[in-house]
Amino acid sequence: MGTADMIVAAAILGVAAWLLYRSVWKKKGHCHGCEGGGCGKR
């Protein structure tokens, strides 16, 4: 792997980690538009 490939791989892993943090840990698994955790239950 060249330097450019390593930079691209690191960027992809960084974005994936950020999305995982944002969707799982920060919102504790709630969907994007849901604040109370009651998605789909009306």
Side-chain angles (χ1 to χ4, degrees):
M1 278 176 63
T3 304
D5 293 331
M6 288 186 187
I7 291 172
V8 169
I12 291 170
L13 288 175
V15 169
W18 176 73
L19 286 172
L20 184 65
Y21 165 75
R22 193 183 81 170
S23 65
V24 175
W25 288 301
K26 187 175 180 185
K27 293 195 176 198
K28 296 178 180 48
H30 299 153
C31 62
H32 177 68
C34 181
E35 294 297 324
C39 300
K41 298 176 185 175
R42 294 182 188 206

